[in-house]
Each structure stands twice: as C-alpha cells, then as structure tokens.
Amino acid sequence: MSLMEENMKVPLNIEDMCNEAIDLASKMNVKLGYEPEDVIVIEKILNECHEKYAQNKMEQKVAWNLACLYGVMVGEIMLRNGLAEKGFHWTPDRNAFIQDDKDMSLAPVRKAYKRIINGVEDNILMFYNFTMQAVFGDIDLNDYVTRE
C-alpha cells in the first residue's frame, strides 16, 4: 500500500486543515484566503515544495502532509467559489475527494501531491481553471474523451 493510499484512510477535518494551511503560509509571509486568486499563491508554494523535493531536501511524508493541507485548501476554494452551488461536496467515505451528485469526482489533494512530486506538469492552477471551466460549461468535456 502506498503512502498516499495509507493516508487517505485518515478522516480529514477540512476547516482545521485550511486553517493550518493559512497559518503555514503566513509564517512564510504569504497571505492566503479563499479567493480564486489564492490558487496562484498555492501554486507558488507547491512549486517551492517541488524544488525542495527534487533536490532531496524534502521527504516524501513531508511532501504528502503539505499536499494534504494545500490540496484541501484548493478544494475549499473551489467549493466556496461555485462548486458547492453546483452540488459538489467533500465525500466523507473517500475523505479527500470532492464529488457531485452525478459522476464527477475531483481529487485536489492527489493533484497537489503530484504537483510536488512531478513538478509543473501537474500545475494546480491549471487543474483549478480546467475544473471550474468544465463545471460551468465553458469546456465541452466530450472534446477530451478518446473515441474509438
């Protein structure tokens, strides 16, 4: 079982995690809130984490813990800026996922973790923008489905 799978079983307190992400950012002299622009701030923080991870200056467990905090924060920003109104919510049985009442499921914590591990190819801002555009109808997801 991977570190990610192991930790996904731990129940999350979303409010506490967001507060911890905000506090941690403030210790770095960075203001963080729940506005869409704050995803840019989170992307910068995750980029710094990636640089440390890539230089072997950050352990995988630390990377996961930071991804949890900032991934949850991105999820909350998404929910507070329109996804909740579209029926999305944190799914308690799959802890770090956001899901709607249909079939769409989002994993902002996993995306934040991949951002730290893989780098810019897993940009959290692009994840945010693509998701918001898809949910609000600015992108036709059928354009991204592989057809046989």
Side-chain angles (χ1 to χ4, degrees), residues 75-97:
E76 262 311 287
I77 292 169
M78 295 169 91
L79 288 169
R80 291 180 184 208
N81 288 281
L83 289 192
E85 294 168 9
K86 293 283 190 176
F88 285 84
H89 55 276
W90 290 104
T91 306
D93 61 333
R94 289 178 38 195
N95 298 318
F97 285 80

Side-chain angles (χ1 to χ4, degrees), residues 9-24:
K9 295 180 178 181
V10 178
L12 302 178
N13 183 318
I14 302 302
E15 185 177 352
D16 287 349
M17 292 183 77
C18 288
N19 288 336
E20 191 172 341
I22 291 168
D23 289 346
L24 186 57

Side-chain angles (χ1 to χ4, degrees), residues 3-142:
L3 178 66
M4 189 184 318
E5 292 168 333
E6 205 171 289
N7 284 297
M8 293 300 278
K9 295 180 178 181
V10 178
L12 302 178
N13 183 318
I14 302 302
E15 185 177 352
D16 287 349
M17 292 183 77
C18 288
N19 288 336
E20 191 172 341
I22 291 168
D23 289 346
L24 186 57
S26 73
K27 289 177 184 173
M28 297 182 284
N29 296 317
V30 175
K31 186 176 187 241
L32 188 59
Y34 295 97
E35 298 302 318
E37 300 80 33
D38 291 305
V39 179
I40 297 168
V41 174
I42 293 170
E43 170 58 28
K44 289 177 182 177
I45 291 170
L46 295 176
N47 185 58
E48 289 178 23
C49 293
H50 169 71
E51 289 174 7
K52 288 179 182 176
Y53 183 82
Q55 297 168 1
N56 293 320
K57 295 181 180 177
M58 180 182 290
E59 295 178 16
Q60 187 177 13
K61 187 171 185 172
V62 173
W64 173 253
N65 290 338
L66 290 169
C68 286
L69 294 178
Y70 290 111
V72 164
M73 190 73 194
V74 168
E76 262 311 287
I77 292 169
M78 295 169 91
L79 288 169
R80 291 180 184 208
N81 288 281
L83 289 192
E85 294 168 9
K86 293 283 190 176
F88 285 84
H89 55 276
W90 290 104
T91 306
D93 61 333
R94 289 178 38 195
N95 298 318
F97 285 80
I98 296 173
Q99 194 166 31
D100 68 359
D101 296 329
K102 299 172 188 142
D103 238 359
M104 193 168 186
S105 183
L106 307 169
V109 170
R110 286 185 182 193
K111 188 62 175 181
Y113 181 69
K114 287 180 179 182
R115 174 60 179 98
I116 294 172
I117 302 303
N118 298 333
V120 73
E121 69 190 59
D122 282 303
N123 186 299
I124 199 85
L125 180 59
M126 290 189 320
F127 168 78
Y128 174 87
N129 287 336
F130 183 86
T131 301
M132 298 304 273
Q133 290 172 352
V135 169
F136 289 96
D138 296 332
I139 292 176
D140 182 358
L141 291 179
N142 289 322

